[in-house]
Amino acid sequence: MKKSMLLRAVVAGFCATLSVGFYSCASSSGADSAAISPEKAVRTLAPVVRNAKGAREGVYYSIFVRAFADSNGDGIGDFNGITAKLDYLNDGNDNTTSDLGITGIWLLPIFPSQSYHGYDVDDYYAVNPDYGTMEDFERLLQECNKRGISVIIDMTCNHSSRYTEWFQNGRDPSDPHHSWYRWITADDKRYNIEQKMWGHKVWNEDKKFTGNYFAGLFGDHMPDFNLDSKELREEFKKVMKFWLDKGVAGFRYDAAGHVYNSAKTPAGTKSVESAVNWWKEIVDYNTSVNPGTYNVGEVWENNSLRAQFIAGLGSDFHFDMGTRIVDMLKAGEDGNNSFANGLQGEYSRLAQANPNYLDAPFLSNHDQPRAAGLLRGDEDLCKAAASLYILTEGVPFMYYGEEIGMRSGTDDPSKRTPMIWNTTLASGKPKDKLQSTWSESRYNLKTVPVAEQVKDPESLLQYYKRLIRVKTAHPALYAGRFKAVSTGNDYVSSWQMKSDDETAFVMVNVSKEDVTVKVPQEYASFKPVFFSDGEDTEFKNQDSVIEVTLPAHSTVVIADGQ
């Protein structure tokens, strides 16, 4: 049975329709409460009141500006292009269903840079002229604010471009900026000058001031900062305030786990402790400027080390989650509810390090092969994958194009190809005038564009719209904590989400067959259904035993309705 067909929840002896006991909530965002129909939204795309508020709740959308939308026809995406497409992301009106419904945007690097990706920053107080002017960026922030969209920007505190004024001046050992970077001489026995990382040398000799070597974990074009410099720390605080004052809601910190990497620090340095102290200092500063600031770090490490960093950062990305989701869906089973049990163990470790931690789950990002490609473009698998990360704890981050199933290769440029808005004309020109054309992708020749998916109620795009709406509408899902709860079935991943206001129980069939499971007894009295893939879910009761039949790769969420 296709998951678009009937989903049946059978409860022996009692019959109730879905119109009884659905969760409802007060209207917000100027929504017309008469137009909001929570019971309709359970089974199809329908308006809901989205209650997630501020930069630390809801769902974020990650945008590589160069690839998203081009406003001036030069082929390169820009700020004005994003502004023109904001109604696709969130039109600010809960009564509509034409928008995706995201509540936040993470912009990949927007600074002047010598590279296409922008992670080698030339000037921390300016914007990339390829993307527009500072006024264009400020206008984007204003329009996002009108729609309730928070904007965070990518920030590199680990390294800069070698073309920054800071580094160019600092090459001279007598210049004050020299201490802002990590320099050594060949006779410094505290370091291994032959140290290599990812196939290249860490230490690079300066061609002008010979005998002086600077650290570059990611290459000699990205010299590494020395965060032991108090002057540099104070400069970074000025940078943060500059952007916070403009209206950004926070920062995504690139290479957060590498700022005190042992390859570039003297032997005996307490690298993790030093890094955590730095992140706590900068996060505390940002919070002093704006208490609602969201700071999230890239710590591409095992959960134990990630937990140590979250003590300072407060939030970091859940890197292994997407891989585990893809592997589980390929296998078609989740024995012993291992996905949820694994997450619970990780969350417990994060809570020990920081009781107020905020997880940042995601499926794939700009540094990884796109998930849809790994799942061979199977739409049902992509829908199940979306449920498995968006309905867990914290603030999910979705990579642009994920909602339409964009694919990639393994090289970085193919992971950042243009968003596909529409098909092309016979002339070869794109139908959508805002289409970025900065690069081509042989991996997306069969990807169905936005313009086509919006016409199909069963498309991946429409599914994401539904899923994001349920995530942002219900406190159990956007503010709750996670607890693994098994149904006893090896083909269903299941867990509880609980906030101060409500409790929800999530079940996802990860197999390609229909599966019938018994709902755990503690949820037997749950009547509201937040979400299901079925069209006519019906309840029947006998001896308080609930059985739910989940079509292949489908999801259902029930709740206590308090």
Side-chain angles (χ1 to χ4, degrees):
M1 180 188 299
K2 279 182 67 88
K3 63 180 180 175
S4 61
M5 299 176 67
L6 180 68
L7 168 80
R8 296 190 178 277
V10 180
V11 186
F14 173 79
C15 270
T17 66
L18 282 176
S19 61
V20 177
F22 276 101
Y23 184 93
S24 62
C25 51
S27 178
S28 65
S29 303
D32 178 0
S33 59
I36 303 295
S37 176
E39 61 271 21
K40 185 177 180 182
V42 170
R43 300 180 304 275
T44 187
L45 178 59
V48 298
V49 175
R50 291 167 278 192
N51 293 306
K53 295 289 188 296
R56 298 174 58 83
E57 293 180 350
V59 178
Y60 273 76
Y61 190 82
S62 171
I63 295 178
F64 180 42
V65 180
R66 187 174 297 272
F68 195 64
D70 169 24
S71 69
N72 60 9
D74 65 357
I76 297 174
D78 46 45
F79 299 133
N80 288 339
I82 299 174
T83 301
K85 289 291 187 181
L86 282 181
D87 282 351
Y88 166 77
L89 297 174
N90 188 335
D91 62 11
N93 185 349
D94 284 351
N95 293 306
T96 65
T97 59
S98 56
D99 61 325
L100 196 55
I102 57 93
T103 58
I105 293 172
W106 157 29
L107 295 177
L108 275 66
I110 61 170
F111 308 109
S113 173
Q114 304 297 311
S115 67
Y116 77 92
H117 54 72
Y119 282 101
D120 45 346
V121 176
D122 289 348
D123 184 350
Y124 285 83
Y125 293 97
V127 296
N128 191 329
D130 285 349
Y131 297 165
T133 65
M134 185 65 80
E135 289 73 22
D136 294 334
F137 177 69
E138 292 168 346
R139 189 180 309 111
L140 170 61
L141 292 178
Q142 292 167 3
E143 291 301 318
C144 285
N145 184 58
K146 291 177 183 178
R147 294 165 172 79
I149 302 173
S150 302
V151 178
I152 66 173
I153 61 174
D154 225 309
M155 184 66 65
T156 60
C157 296
N158 179 72
H159 55 265
S160 73
S161 158
R162 65 184 303 161
Y163 298 99
T164 59
E165 184 177 326
W166 299 347
F167 182 73
Q168 286 300 315
N169 290 339
R171 293 168 67 190
D172 183 345
S174 65
D175 188 276
H177 294 89
H178 188 76
S179 65
W180 289 22
Y181 292 86
R182 292 202 172 271
W183 292 93
I184 65 171
T185 55
D187 59 354
D188 193 331
K189 303 303 181 184
R190 298 175 301 165
Y191 302 87
N192 176 10
I193 202 167
E194 299 300 325
Q195 176 81 42
K196 287 189 175 181
M197 201 159 188
W198 302 306
H200 60 259
K201 280 190 172 185
V202 170
W203 296 101
N204 309 275
E205 186 173 16
D206 188 279
K207 294 180 180 179
K208 181 178 180 181
F209 295 90
T210 57
N212 293 292
Y213 295 77
F214 64 90
L217 291 183
F218 296 96
D220 62 3
H221 62 302
M222 293 182 178
D224 282 23
F225 286 119
N226 171 28
L227 287 170
D228 288 331
S229 166
K230 293 181 179 179
E231 293 77 15
L232 176 61
R233 287 184 181 234
E234 291 307 308
E235 185 67 29
F236 265 127
K237 290 174 185 176
K238 293 177 183 177
V239 170
M240 304 306 160
K241 189 174 188 305
F242 176 83
W243 293 103
L244 289 171
D245 286 348
K246 285 192 177 296
V248 305
F251 306 93
R252 177 267 187 186
Y253 291 110
D254 180 63
H258 292 296
V259 290
Y260 276 87
N261 190 293
S262 59
K264 62 183 181 183
T265 54
T269 299
K270 296 181 179 179
S271 299
V272 175
E273 180 180 328
S274 297
V276 170
N277 288 339
W278 155 249
W279 289 123
K280 188 176 189 311
E281 179 180 334
I282 201 66
V283 167
D284 286 350
Y285 174 79
N286 291 343
T287 303
S288 74
V289 176
N290 178 358
T293 299
Y294 181 37
N295 302 275
V296 57
E298 180 197 27
V299 183
W300 201 332
E301 305 290 348
N302 60 60
N303 191 68
S304 177
L305 188 54
R306 177 181 167 234
Q308 294 181 64
F309 274 87
I310 214 165
L313 283 161
S315 182
D316 52 28
F317 288 99
H318 207 135
F319 264 92
D320 63 345
M321 182 185 286
T323 301
R324 287 157 58 190
I325 288 172
V326 168
D327 290 346
M328 177 173 62
L329 290 172
K330 283 183 174 180
E333 62 178 337
D334 183 25
N336 299 315
N337 207 31
S338 60
F339 175 69
N341 285 331
L343 287 182
Q344 182 172 315
E346 292 173 352
Y347 290 142
S348 296
R349 181 66 185 86
L350 297 181
Q352 291 173 14
N354 186 340
N356 298 315
Y357 78 91
L358 183 60
D359 197 33
F362 68 100
L363 197 54
S364 59
N365 70 10
H366 60 285
D367 287 323
Q368 300 172 310
R370 285 185 175 269
L374 298 176
L375 295 172
R376 300 181 182 276
D378 187 306
E379 189 174 272
D380 286 345
L381 291 180
C382 289
K383 290 178 179 178
S387 294
L388 286 163
Y389 86 94
I390 287 180
L391 297 178
T392 57
E393 261 195 42
V395 178
F397 280 75
M398 56 183 298
Y399 190 35
Y400 80 93
E402 185 175 282
E403 74 274 22
I404 59 171
M406 282 179 61
R407 310 186 205 184
S408 75
T410 57
D411 62 300
D412 281 348
S414 78
K415 301 167 188 172
R416 308 175 200 194
T417 52
M419 179 69 176
I420 305 172
W421 296 107
N422 208 333
T423 55
T424 57
L425 298 166
S427 63
K429 293 184 178 180
K431 285 185 179 179
D432 193 304
K433 294 181 180 179
L434 294 174
Q435 179 67 52
S436 165
T437 56
W438 89 271
S439 70
E440 296 182 353
S441 175
R442 63 186 177 89
Y443 300 97
N444 284 298
L445 298 177
K446 296 182 179 180
T447 301
V448 181
V450 170
E452 296 299 321
Q453 292 205 28
V454 295
K455 302 174 184 177
D456 178 6
E458 301 299 324
S459 71
L460 181 60
L461 172 59
Q462 302 299 73
Y463 186 83
Y464 263 94
K465 290 181 181 180
R466 292 186 57 211
L467 202 59
I468 293 170
R469 277 167 170 75
V470 73
K471 174 76 172 185
T472 57
H474 301 289
L477 299 179
Y478 67 75
R481 288 298 193 194
F482 180 103
K483 176 184 176 183
V485 180
S486 177
T487 64
N489 190 292
D490 287 346
Y491 301 103
V492 174
S493 289
S494 53
W495 59 88
Q496 169 189 285
M497 291 293 294
K498 183 178 178 62
S499 69
D500 293 339
D501 304 306
E502 64 184 6
T503 303
F505 184 56
V506 180
M507 293 169 281
V508 183
N509 180 0
V510 302
S511 78
K512 60 182 179 181
E513 305 294 338
D514 294 3
V515 175
T516 299
V517 298
K518 292 182 179 179
V519 175
Q521 189 61 35
E522 59 261 46
Y523 310 108
S525 63
F526 283 23
K527 293 181 180 179
V529 176
F530 284 174
F531 184 92
S532 86
D533 289 69
E535 298 172 352
D536 296 313
T537 308
E538 65 178 312
F539 284 82
K540 297 179 182 178
N541 187 355
Q542 182 177 352
D543 300 327
S544 298
V545 175
I546 302 177
E547 289 185 340
V548 180
T549 298
L550 298 166
H553 302 127
S554 67
T555 299
V556 66
V557 185
I558 60 176
D560 58 6
Q562 296 177 356

